[in-house]
Every structure is written in structure tokens, then in C-alpha cells.
Amino acid sequence: MERQTVISDLSREIETLTRLHIQHGLHRTKGFANQKSNIEKLIRDNGVNLKKELDPLTLQLYHRYFE
């Protein structure tokens, strides 16, 4: 996968996770947990350097849900 595509997909997945929580209140569901797992797998499989490759807003959202 092209690097820009990976980063774009990752950003979109993190934004989806945020919407599941904030707009829909689904942060305690299995779907939310699955979304988090998919994000972790995407990062791991593509060796994403979060601090260098994500934009500041997406990085902040990532920290909110994963740390």
C-alpha cells in the first residue's frame, strides 16, 4: 500500500472511532473494541511512526483512545 494511503486510512479509522464514541455513544460496544483492534493492527502491519506521520489533531485523538 502506498504510504500516503496508509496514513489517510489510519486517520479515517481514528476519526471513525471518535464518532463511535462522541456522536453515537458506542464506546462500550464490541464494535468499538474491534475498531480499536483494527487501528492497532494497521499501525503494526505498516510500521507507522505516529509522531512523525500523523497530523497533530489525529495524533491527539489517537492518544485520547490508546493511552
Side-chain angles (χ1 to χ4, degrees), residues 16-50:
T16 298
L17 185 74
T18 303
R19 275 193 303 281
L20 286 173
H21 176 220
I22 295 172
Q23 291 179 350
H24 303 290
L26 299 174
H27 56 284
R28 292 189 179 101
T29 64
K30 186 173 182 169
F32 187 84
N34 288 342
Q35 183 72 13
K36 282 183 75 171
S37 295
N38 291 341
I39 291 169
E40 290 170 332
K41 183 178 183 323
L42 184 61
I43 293 168
R44 187 176 49 252
D45 290 351
N46 292 287
V48 176
N49 183 331
L50 298 171

Side-chain angles (χ1 to χ4, degrees), residues 14-15 17-23 25 27 32 36 39-40 50 54 56-67:
I14 292 172
E15 289 169 9
L17 185 74
T18 303
R19 275 193 303 281
L20 286 173
H21 176 220
I22 295 172
Q23 291 179 350
H27 56 284
F32 187 84
K36 282 183 75 171
I39 291 169
E40 290 170 332
L50 298 171
L54 288 182
L57 177 60
T58 305
L59 182 61
Q60 183 66 29
L61 292 172
Y62 173 83
H63 287 301
R64 178 178 182 177
Y65 292 104
F66 290 91
E67 293 182 357

